[in-house]
C-alpha cells in the first residue's frame, strides 16, 4: 500500500511545523525520517496516522485520503506514537486483546493474532504482567505489538527503538526489515546508524521542509561531490611529492596531513577517479605508495551539513 | 455499537481494577444507607413508607461522587497520550465519548441495583407507592446521567484530574443551587429560564412521582449537550 503525502502544511500558532512537504513511499519500502528535534517528523507522522488534522494538503494511504476515509486508513495502519503511550494499569495480554478487538479482529482469529504478535515481539514471559511493571524496553515491545496486531499494510513508527538495549535494537531492526519487505514502513529516529541500517530510503527534514531524499548512497553523493582519499607516499621528498600531487589533473585540494610520515589528503573534482592517477604518478617517479584510503563521508556529516544554517 | 462496548468494557474493568468502583459503591451505599435508615430525617423519623429520604440524600451524594468517577476518563488519556492511540484505531470521536459515558452510567446503575433491598424493606413495613419509587429512581438515573455528562466534559478539557473534579463541581453547583437562587430573585422570562435550568425542581417533581416530559428533556438535553461539547474538545485536540 503506497503512501502519498501531498503539500502537507501544519502550523502551531505562528510556527510552521510542517511546511509544504510532499513525498511518496512505495510498498515494500522502509522510509527513515531523520531530522533534528522539532523538525516536523512527529507532526508528519501524526498526520499520516489520522490523529492530527493538517491545515492543508492531502495524504493518501493506498488511494484513500486520511481526510475523507479516515476509517479505512485507520484499519490499515499500525501506529506507534512518540513516547509510546499505553494503558499502564492493564496486563499485557488484555491490552493487546483490547487493541485487537478495536481493530475489528474476529473472535475466532483474535487468539491466533495475539499468539503471533506476542511471539514476534518476544513478550511470551511477560504477557500476564501489568504494563506498568515492565521495563522500558518491554513497554516498547508492547507498543510495537499493538501496532502489529492486526497485520497492517502500513506501519508508522515514531522512534521505535528508544529505550531498548543493543540486543533488542538489533532484533527490532531485523523485525522492521522483515516487515518492510512486503509492507510500507515509515520510521523516525535521531540515531543515524539505525536509519542507515534499517531503511531503504532516507528523508531528512529540517524546519518543516525536506532537505534531502534518497538512499544512503545517494545522500553521500549529493552532500559530498568530491572523492576524498588519504595516501602515504614514501621514497621521495615531501615537498616534491606535494608539488607533483597538486599537478594531477582532477586534484582540487591537496593537504599535507603528516609531513614526517609523508601523508596527504587529496580531494578530487567530482567524478574523477583520482586513485589511478596517484598510483601512476608514484610509478613514474619510483615512489612507494604504502597507503591509499578512500574516505567515506559519514552520514553524520551529511546530516550536520543539511540541518545547520 | 460493538466498538463502543469494547471501550466501555475496558473502562469498567479499569474502574474495578483501580478499586475506584468498590470505593464508590461502598461509600454510596454507606452514606445513603446511613442517612436513609439511621440519622437525620430518616425513614423512622418521618414514619412513612417512602423512599424520599433515600432519594434526597442520594441526590447530593451523587453530586459529589460522580465527578470523582468521571474526572480521569479523558484527562488521564490526555496526560498519558493514550488518547492518540485510541483515536488512531478505527473508532470515531463520538464512539469514544459515548463509551466512556456508558461505563460511568453502568457503574452508577449497579449502585442503584444494590439499593433494591431498601425497596423490599420499606415495602414490607408499609404501603409503598411503587410508581413513585420508579419515577424516583428514574430521576436519580437522569440526574446521574447529567452529572456524568458534565464530568466527562470537564475531564475532556485538560489533563489534570483534580481540575476536572473541581470544575465539574463548579458547573454542577450552578444547576443545583445558583440558577434557582437567581431565578427566584428575577422576574419575567429570565427568571423562568433560570428556574427551568435548576435541577432541584425537576428532581423534586419526579421523586414525588410525576414523570413530566419537560423534566426528562431537561436532564437528557444537558447530558447530550455535555457529550457534544466533550466531542468538540476531542476534535479540537486533533487540530492543535
Amino acid at each position: 500500500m503506497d503512501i502519498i503525502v501531498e503539500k502537507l502544511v501544519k502550523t502551531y500558532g505562528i510556527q510552521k511545523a510542517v511546511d509544504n512537504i510532499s513525498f511518496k513511499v512505495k510498498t515494500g519500502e522502509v522510509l527513515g525520517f531523520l531530522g533534528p528535534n522539532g523538525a516536523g517528523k512527529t507532526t508528519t507522522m501524526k498526520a499520516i496516522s489520522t490523529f492530527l488534522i493538517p491545515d492543508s494538503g492531502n495524504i493518501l494511504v493506498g488511494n484513500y485520503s486520511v481526510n475523507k476515509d479516515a476509517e479505512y486508513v485507520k484499519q490499515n495502519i499500525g501506529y506507534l506514537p512518540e513516547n509510546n503511550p499505553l494503558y499502564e494499569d492493564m496486563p499485557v495480554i488484555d491490552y493487546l486483546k483490547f487493541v485487537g478487538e478495536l481493530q475489528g479482529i474476529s473472535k475466532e482469529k483474535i487468539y491466533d493474532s495475539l499468539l503471533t504478535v506476542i511471539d514476534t515481539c518476544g513478550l511470551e514471559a511477560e504477557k500476564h504482567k501489568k504494563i506498568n511493571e515492565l521495563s522500558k524496553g518491554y513497554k516498547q515491545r508492547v507498543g510495537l505489538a499493538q501496532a502489529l496486531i492486526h497485520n497492517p499494510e502500513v506501519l508508522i513508527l515514531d522512534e521505535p527503538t528508544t529505550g531498548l538495549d543493543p540486543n533488542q535494537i538489533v532484533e527490532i531492526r531485523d523485525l522492521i526489515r522483515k516487515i518492510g519487505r512486503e509492507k510500507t514502513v515509515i520510521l523516525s529516529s535521531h540515531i543515524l546508524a539505525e536509519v542507515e541500517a534499517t531503511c531503504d530510503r532516507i528523508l531528512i527534514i529540517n524546519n518543516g521542509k525536506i532537505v534531502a531524499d534518497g538512499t544512503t548512497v545517494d545522500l553521500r553523493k549529493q552532500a559530498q561531490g568530491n572523492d576524498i582519499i588519504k595516501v602515504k607516499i614514501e621514497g621521495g621528498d615531501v615537498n616534491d611529492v606535494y608539488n607533483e600531487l597538486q599537478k594531477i589533473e582532477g586534484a582540487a585540494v591537496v593537504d599535507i596531513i603528516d609531513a614526517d610520515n609523508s601523508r596527504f589528503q587529496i580531494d578530487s573534482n567530482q567524478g574523477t577517479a583520482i586513485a589511478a592517477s596517484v598510483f601512476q604518478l608514484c610509478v613514474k617517479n619510483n615512489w612507494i605508495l604504502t597507503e591509499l584510503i578512500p574516505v567515506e563521508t559519514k552520514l553524520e556529516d551529511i546530516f550536520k551539513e543539511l540541518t545547520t544554517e | 455499537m460493538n466498538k463502543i462496548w469494547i471501550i466501555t468494557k475496558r473502562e469498567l474493568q479499569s474502574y474495578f481494577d483501580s478499586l475506584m468502583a468498590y470505593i464508590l459503591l461502598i461509600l454510596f451505599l454507606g452514606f445513603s444507607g446511613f442517612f436513609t435508615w439511621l440519622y437525620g430525617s430518616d425513614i423512622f423519623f418521618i414514619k412513612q413508607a417512602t423512599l424520599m429520604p433515600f432519594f434526597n440524600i442520594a441526590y447530593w451524594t451523587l453530586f459529589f461522587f460522580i465527578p470523582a468517577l468521571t474526572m480521569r476518563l479523558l484527562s488521564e488519556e490526555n496526560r498519558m497520550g493514550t488518547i492518540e492511540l485510541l483515536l488512531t484505531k478505527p473508532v470515531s470521536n463520538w464512539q469514544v465519548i459515548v463509551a466512556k459515558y456508558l461505563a460511568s452510567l453502568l457503574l452508577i446503575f449497579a449502585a442503584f441495583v444494590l439499593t433494591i433491598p431498601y425497596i423490599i424493606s420499606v415495602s414490607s413495613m408499609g404501603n409503598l407507592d411503587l410508581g413513585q419509587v420508579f419515577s424516583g429512581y428514574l430521576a436519580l438515573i437522569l440526574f446521574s446521567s447529567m452529572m456524568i455528562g458534565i464530568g466527562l466534559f470537564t475531564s475532556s478539557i485538560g489533563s489534570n484530574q483534580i481540575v476536572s473534579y473541581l470544575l465539574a463541581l463548579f458547573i454542577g453547583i450552578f444547576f443545583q443551587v445558583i440558577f434557582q437562587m437567581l431565578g427566584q430573585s428575577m422576574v419575567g422570562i429570565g427568571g423562568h429560564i433560570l428556574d427551568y435550568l435548576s435541577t432541584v425542581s425537576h428532581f423534586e417533581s419526579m421523586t414525588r412521582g410525576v414523570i413530566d416530559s419537560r423534566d426528562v428533556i431537561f436532564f437528557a438535553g444537558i447530558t447530550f449537550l455535555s457529550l457534544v461539547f466533550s466531542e468538540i474538545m476531542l476534535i479540537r485536540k486533533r487540530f492543535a
Side-chain angles (χ1 to χ4, degrees):
Chain A
M1 212 171 267
D2 294 2
I3 302 171
I4 302 168
V5 176
E6 286 167 345
K7 296 184 178 149
L8 187 71
V9 178
K10 180 77 205 172
T11 27
Y12 297 121
I14 49 159
Q15 194 201 355
K16 269 201 172 164
V18 174
D19 189 0
N20 208 3
I21 277 185
S22 302
F23 63 90
K24 192 180 168 185
V25 196
K26 289 195 284 293
T27 312
E29 193 171 38
V30 181
L31 179 80
F33 250 171
L34 271 180
N37 296 328
K41 302 183 296 261
T42 298
T43 305
T44 311
M45 296 180 110
K46 279 184 176 174
I48 300 172
S49 77
T50 74
F51 180 69
L52 208 62
I53 296 159
D55 298 348
S56 69
N58 197 9
I59 299 166
L60 296 171
V61 177
N63 290 328
Y64 288 86
S65 157
V66 291
N67 301 331
K68 293 188 201 102
D69 306 293
E71 202 72 11
Y72 178 87
V73 173
K74 285 175 181 179
Q75 277 164 16
N76 288 287
I77 261 186
Y79 177 46
L80 172 68
E82 193 186 22
N83 303 330
N84 186 26
L86 297 165
Y87 291 122
E88 305 251 334
D89 55 347
M90 287 179 97
V92 171
I93 196 152
D94 286 2
Y95 175 66
L96 293 176
K97 186 163 171 261
F98 166 71
V99 174
E101 283 174 344
L102 272 188
Q103 287 289 3
I105 302 174
S106 64
K107 268 206 170 70
E108 302 83 58
K109 285 187 192 151
I110 197 143
Y111 286 101
D112 284 341
S113 309
L114 279 176
L115 289 178
T116 317
V117 92
I118 283 172
D119 185 47
T120 22
C121 297
L123 286 164
E124 186 57 39
E126 322 284 328
K127 65 184 175 198
H128 293 299
K129 282 192 189 163
K130 279 196 174 184
I131 293 174
N132 57 17
E133 292 165 3
L134 299 180
S135 69
K136 200 175 176 205
Y138 274 103
K139 280 184 191 167
Q140 197 70 20
R141 289 170 182 230
V142 176
L144 210 60
Q146 64 82 27
L148 290 168
I149 187 134
H150 56 302
N151 201 11
E153 288 298 312
V154 172
L155 261 186
I156 311 288
L157 309 171
D158 203 344
E159 306 198 356
T161 55
T162 40
L164 299 181
D165 66 45
N167 293 334
Q168 292 172 330
I169 289 179
V170 172
E171 278 172 39
I172 297 294
R173 277 184 197 163
D174 286 344
L175 180 65
I176 292 171
R177 264 200 302 261
K178 205 173 87 194
I179 296 164
R181 271 181 230 138
E182 294 145 35
K183 306 197 167 156
T184 322
V185 182
I186 298 182
L187 67 88
S188 76
S189 181
H190 308 299
I191 308 161
L192 299 159
E194 170 166 305
V195 173
E196 203 170 3
T198 6
C199 301
D200 305 317
R201 206 175 115 207
I202 297 176
L203 211 65
I204 302 183
I205 46 178
N206 189 31
N207 290 330
K209 288 194 166 101
I210 296 178
V211 288
D213 179 2
T215 60
T216 32
V217 181
D218 288 344
L219 288 189
R220 287 217 171 85
K221 270 193 195 141
Q222 198 179 319
Q224 189 75 42
N226 295 356
D227 269 341
I228 302 174
I229 52 170
K230 283 183 182 164
V231 291
K232 185 176 175 186
I233 295 171
E234 285 170 13
D237 182 62
V238 177
N239 286 323
D240 289 346
V241 177
Y242 178 71
N243 288 333
E244 287 295 318
L245 283 175
Q246 271 187 322
K247 283 182 202 151
I248 294 177
E249 200 181 333
V253 184
V254 180
D255 273 329
I256 304 174
I257 310 175
D258 184 353
D260 298 334
N261 290 309
S262 66
R263 278 207 173 87
F264 306 90
Q265 176 171 321
I266 310 165
D267 293 19
S268 79
N269 289 337
Q270 207 160 351
T272 339
I274 196 83
S277 316
V278 173
F279 178 73
Q280 266 148 19
L281 180 80
C282 294
V283 173
K284 205 175 81 190
N285 293 301
N286 219 5
W287 295 333
I288 308 153
L289 182 64
T290 51
E291 264 176 33
L292 194 153
I293 310 162
V295 181
E296 254 194 356
T297 324
K298 283 202 213 106
L299 204 55
E300 271 84 353
D301 299 330
I302 304 170
F303 182 79
K304 226 157 75 186
E305 195 180 309
L306 288 169
T307 57
T308 43
E309 274 106 68
Chain B
M1 190 60 218
N2 187 25
K3 294 275 163 68
I4 293 177
W5 179 237
I6 295 166
I7 301 175
T8 302
K9 234 170 38 188
R10 197 204 78 80
E11 290 297 337
L12 279 174
Q13 186 72 51
S14 146
Y15 275 142
F16 282 95
D17 282 351
S18 66
L19 302 182
M20 190 72 201
Y22 301 106
I23 293 169
L24 174 105
L25 291 176
I26 289 167
L27 279 181
F28 176 73
L29 291 175
F31 228 75
S32 63
F34 182 70
F35 287 102
T36 306
W37 300 102
L38 297 175
Y39 188 80
S41 53
D42 61 56
I43 283 176
F44 303 113
F45 181 78
I46 57 175
K47 290 182 176 158
Q48 281 175 22
T50 170
L51 279 174
M52 278 302 267
F54 166 67
F55 293 141
N56 288 331
I57 188 67
Y59 176 68
W60 279 102
T61 317
L62 290 169
F63 173 73
F64 286 104
F65 281 0
I66 288 177
L69 205 58
T70 55
M71 64 182 183
R72 52 166 281 287
L73 282 178
L74 282 160
S75 62
E76 186 70 2
E77 300 246 15
N78 287 336
R79 194 174 67 82
M80 297 293 290
T82 44
I83 193 70
E84 191 172 342
L85 269 181
L86 196 54
L87 292 179
T88 48
K89 305 287 173 254
V91 287
S92 64
N93 302 318
W94 181 248
Q95 281 172 326
V96 170
I97 298 289
V98 172
K100 290 185 176 265
Y101 160 78
L102 274 182
S104 301
L105 193 63
L106 283 175
L107 189 59
I108 293 292
F109 192 77
F112 293 154
V113 169
L114 291 176
T115 62
I116 286 177
Y118 294 6
I119 307 175
I120 298 169
S121 312
V122 176
S123 69
S124 71
M125 288 189 285
N127 198 2
L128 184 65
D129 179 355
L130 285 175
Q132 190 197 356
V133 169
F134 174 77
S135 85
Y137 271 99
L138 184 66
L140 281 184
I141 289 172
L142 284 170
F143 172 69
S144 306
S145 154
M146 179 188 108
M147 282 308 293
I148 292 169
I150 292 170
L152 192 59
F153 167 65
T154 60
S155 172
S156 71
I157 292 172
S159 53
N160 187 315
Q161 298 189 12
I162 302 300
V163 169
S164 159
Y165 179 79
L166 293 176
L167 205 55
L169 284 191
F170 181 72
I171 296 175
I173 206 78
F174 273 86
F175 289 103
Q176 296 282 77
V177 179
I178 294 177
F179 286 148
Q180 190 192 25
M181 276 164 48
L182 290 175
Q184 280 164 354
S185 63
M186 268 168 88
V187 284
I189 188 93
H192 278 297
I193 292 172
L194 286 171
D195 239 11
Y196 183 74
L197 284 176
S198 155
T199 45
V200 183
S201 57
H202 300 289
F203 188 79
E204 275 179 354
S205 76
M206 284 189 87
T207 48
R208 260 186 257 116
V210 188
I211 301 178
D212 189 328
S213 61
R214 273 177 305 178
D215 299 332
V216 177
I217 289 169
F218 168 78
F219 287 118
I222 303 273
T223 307
F224 182 72
L225 273 182
S226 309
L227 297 190
V228 169
F229 283 135
S230 311
E231 195 198 5
I232 291 171
M233 294 308 293
L234 267 197
I235 296 171
R236 245 177 57 111
K237 288 217 172 57
R238 309 182 77 163
F239 278 99

